[in-house]
Amino acid sequence: MVKILIGYASDYGTTKKMAQAAAEGVTSVKGCQALLKNVEDICSEDMTSSAGIMLGSPVHMGSMDWRVKKMIDTVCAELWMNDMMNGKVAAVFACGGGFGGSGGGAELAMLAMLSNFAELGMLLLPLPKKINYYQHGGLHWGPCGRSGDANMKNVGVSSAVIHLTKQHAIHLAKTALVLANSDIFQN
Amino acid sequence: MVKILIGYASDYGTTKKMAQAAAEGVTSVKGCQALLKNVEDICSEDMTSSAGIMLGSPVHMGSMDWRVKKMIDTVCAELWMNDMMNGKVAAVFACGGGFGGSGGGAELAMLAMLSNFAELGMLLLPLPKKINYYQHGGLHWGPCGRSGDANMKNVGVSSAVIHLTKQHAIHLAKTALVLANSDIFQN
Amino acid sequence: MVKILIGYASDYGTTKKMAQAAAEGVTSVKGCQALLKNVEDICSEDMTSSAGIMLGSPVHMGSMDWRVKKMIDTVCAELWMNDMMNGKVAAVFACGGGFGGSGGGAELAMLAMLSNFAELGMLLLPLPKKINYYQHGGLHWGPCGRSGDANMKNVGVSSAVIHLTKQHAIHLAKTALVLANSDIFQN
Amino acid sequence: MVKILIGYASDYGTTKKMAQAAAEGVTSVKGCQALLKNVEDICSEDMTSSAGIMLGSPVHMGSMDWRVKKMIDTVCAELWMNDMMNGKVAAVFACGGGFGGSGGGAELAMLAMLSNFAELGMLLLPLPKKINYYQHGGLHWGPCGRSGDANMKNVGVSSAVIHLTKQHAIHLAKTALVLANSDIFQN
């Protein structure tokens, strides 16, 4: 079995709901199992035993949630130092209030998470525009939920975004299966 | 009179319409005049004779339009080399199809333009969320028009975005007036 | 007196050393005083009572330190919500191992901090290339210390970077004095 | 045979030299052939007939060269519209004066190119730190040449960077072979 780690932080449950959809997506792929964890509970072994990682964060002040970054600094940095994750595959998603209707800072938030995975030597999985429902929550870096409306009222995450996130996780699982046992970075 | 240069590229006229609103905004500020130019017509003297610059670009494939970049490479690079723009003030805006509803790559497009202005030693003007109509086309880096709908049909730019862009230009003009004759970067 | 807040996180003391140089720079400007604080000790009132803010972070895994982000999420987010910081001025600096000799991720780390300040409606101060010693630790987004050598040995931060950081703080203080009592963002 | 397209723009020949090393790397992988082209000569068919693409750019004013962006806007945008590149693999490299010693804007330049490839639905290949010579020109987004010294004198690109770029191309070719005939993005 190929294991995929789904990590998330969540304030009001929307990012968590996206993470749960991702776990369902992984489980639906034959030969893959999901490990769904709040970032505060992720340890090194969760990372090293997984063939792929999907990380989701609330968007706060134009970048990722501090709890996600704490996990990166305290868990991933050592894996980077010891070259433990090279050649695995990574994907990200985000959820924010989206005030302004222009992404609300989701792009830099997702890039900061992808930066960590690039440092770890992991292939980065994009979200192609042809995926169903892309028009209702897609960004090329990954699915983007929007939990707030134009009055900053929390309206939860749409079913379209849930679908997109599940699909993104299916792609991640499939990619991990394809890459398994390949040894791209020999030196 | 303090001169503000408004530069733009445009495919279907939406970014140009935003640029025209910006020029109106500048003109409405006492003591300021606007120089509105397609990027293909901008020369060094347009830059050096201006106290502030506002640059707008269509969003293509997640970054700025190539014509905007050509102007930067062929006009701004030499001004950077000769330290000609330090201490002036800059602002940006963008307009894209916005497919996906998550900004569609506008953030990196705007950051690439801001990167040029930071290289030039210019202060960067943000768009505060309290500005009227921010909820209908605001990003902290500047106003973001969206010209396409969920079916990629061109629907033009909204009056809210036009208002935001005009207001952003007013702030730029006011900032240029405040900074005029200050000499922040003496060494 | 105009107050400038210098915030930092530090692992081995290099980012702190840069912060101390920044505080010296602020103090050297007539009419300005520095408030030097570890990010873990910064409260809302430190922010609102300051005319300018300079924030420095270690670079970890291609973005800012989680403690800096925690301060942003827990202190700045509320100030954003209540429009408390508009029109002030911000600057950033960073220090990392710099393995690879190509910045080591400092650029996205600095942009993530600047993203927070843009959200807060603050003007962003660049580091012009003409500043003395720029060639030994300058990036247009701010001073960049490098604490590691090509063998990942900690070699501390150079006197050139210390000089650059002090100078950047002087510019910040001067800008805060120029902007004081201007009211750029009236609506 | 699996074909890998190597595209580049070049001012003084350094980025071209890196591109030539990349082509050599591809050719050294059994079953792979390289198509080396100046971006000004790249057509749609070069892209669609390739299993992987490596794109290199000079760094100008903190982002990619305008000629590279022109190719993206005029060639890639249509391929995005028609979903022609999904599931292929992409990598980038850059070369700049590097004045300041902190990357000189290479990171945003590389991210802008990667943004295009993410839009195209292509997997993004990182540069792991364990690769030989990483310490002399590596960034997690790809190899970074530095052609200028601290006095802005053109000193050409180092043999370490040439080696890194060749190695990056080998990884790209290997990844393309592994991904060939997989169909990750079915919907």
Side-chain angles (χ1 to χ4, degrees), chain A residues 60 62-64 66 69 73 119, chain C residues 60 62-64 66 69 73:
Chain A
H60 291 308
S63 56
M64 77 176 99
W66 71 268
K69 190 70 213 314
D73 289 8
E119 295 262 21
Chain C
H60 291 308
S63 55
M64 77 177 100
W66 71 269
K69 191 68 213 313
D73 289 8

Side-chain angles (χ1 to χ4, degrees), chain C:
Chain C
M1 288 292 275
V2 155
K3 190 165 72 179
I4 305 291
L5 172 64
I6 316 283
Y8 68 93
S10 198
D11 295 307
Y12 306 106
T14 46
T15 312
K16 183 178 181 179
K17 208 170 158 190
M18 290 172 76
Q20 288 168 330
E24 275 178 46
V26 168
T27 309
S28 75
V29 177
K30 196 180 168 180
C32 291
Q33 59 177 314
L35 176 60
L36 177 65
K37 281 209 166 182
N38 187 305
V39 287
E40 300 184 281
D41 300 323
I42 290 176
C43 64
S44 294
E45 205 273 339
D46 294 333
M47 302 279 290
T48 54
S49 63
S50 296
I53 300 184
M54 193 161 171
L55 189 58
S57 178
V59 180
H60 291 308
M61 301 307 286
S63 55
M64 77 177 100
D65 186 286
W66 71 269
R67 296 163 295 183
V68 179
K69 191 68 213 313
K70 185 178 182 185
M71 187 280 289
I72 288 174
D73 289 8
T74 55
V75 176
C76 297
E78 194 182 349
L79 300 174
W80 170 80
M81 184 59 79
N82 295 303
D83 304 312
M84 303 287 279
M85 301 293 288
N86 292 324
K88 299 179 188 237
V89 60
V92 300
F93 61 96
C95 189
F99 193 70
S102 306
E107 194 170 355
L108 270 194
M110 297 172 99
L111 281 171
M113 288 190 282
L114 290 170
S115 186
N116 169 62
F117 291 123
E119 294 262 21
L120 289 174
M122 298 173 74
L123 276 89
L124 310 179
L125 189 79
L127 183 71
K129 87 157 180 27
K130 76 161 182 171
I131 308 304
N132 288 335
Y133 302 104
Y134 187 101
Q135 66 270 40
H136 301 303
L139 195 62
H140 42 308
W141 308 111
C144 266
R146 181 172 176 182
S147 59
D149 67 10
N151 299 311
M152 288 198 180
K153 191 184 154 196
N154 192 322
V155 292
V157 71
S158 71
S159 58
V161 165
I162 292 297
H163 177 89
L164 269 176
T165 311
K166 182 177 175 180
Q167 207 60 39
H168 199 42
I170 289 173
H171 303 154
L172 178 64
K174 284 183 177 178
T175 308
L177 283 173
V178 172
L179 290 174
N181 306 315
S182 64
D183 190 10
I184 295 165
F185 303 120
Q186 283 162 327
N187 61 344

Side-chain angles (χ1 to χ4, degrees), chain B residues 7-161:
Chain B
Y8 68 93
S10 198
D11 295 307
Y12 305 107
T14 46
T15 312
K16 182 178 181 179
K17 208 170 157 189
M18 290 173 76
Q20 289 168 328
E24 277 178 44
V26 168
T27 309
S28 75
V29 177
K30 197 180 167 179
C32 292
Q33 58 177 313
L35 177 60
L36 177 64
K37 281 210 167 182
N38 187 306
V39 287
E40 300 183 282
D41 300 324
I42 290 176
C43 65
S44 295
E45 204 272 340
D46 294 331
M47 303 278 290
T48 55
S49 63
S50 296
I53 300 184
M54 193 160 172
L55 189 59
S57 179
V59 180
H60 291 308
M61 301 308 286
S63 55
M64 77 176 100
D65 186 285
W66 72 268
R67 296 163 295 183
V68 179
K69 191 68 210 318
K70 186 178 182 185
M71 187 280 289
I72 288 174
D73 289 9
T74 54
V75 177
C76 297
E78 193 182 350
L79 300 174
W80 169 80
M81 184 59 79
N82 295 304
D83 304 313
M84 303 287 278
M85 302 293 289
N86 292 324
K88 300 182 186 233
V89 60
V92 299
F93 61 95
C95 190
F99 193 69
S102 305
E107 195 170 355
L108 271 194
M110 297 172 98
L111 281 170
M113 289 190 282
L114 290 169
S115 186
N116 168 62
F117 292 122
E119 295 262 21
L120 290 174
M122 299 173 73
L123 276 89
L124 310 179
L125 189 78
L127 183 70
K129 85 158 182 25
K130 76 162 183 171
I131 308 305
N132 288 335
Y133 302 104
Y134 187 101
Q135 67 269 40
H136 302 301
L139 195 62
H140 42 308
W141 308 111
C144 266
R146 180 172 175 182
S147 58
D149 66 10
N151 299 310
M152 289 199 180
K153 191 185 154 196
N154 192 322
V155 292
V157 72
S158 71
S159 58
V161 165

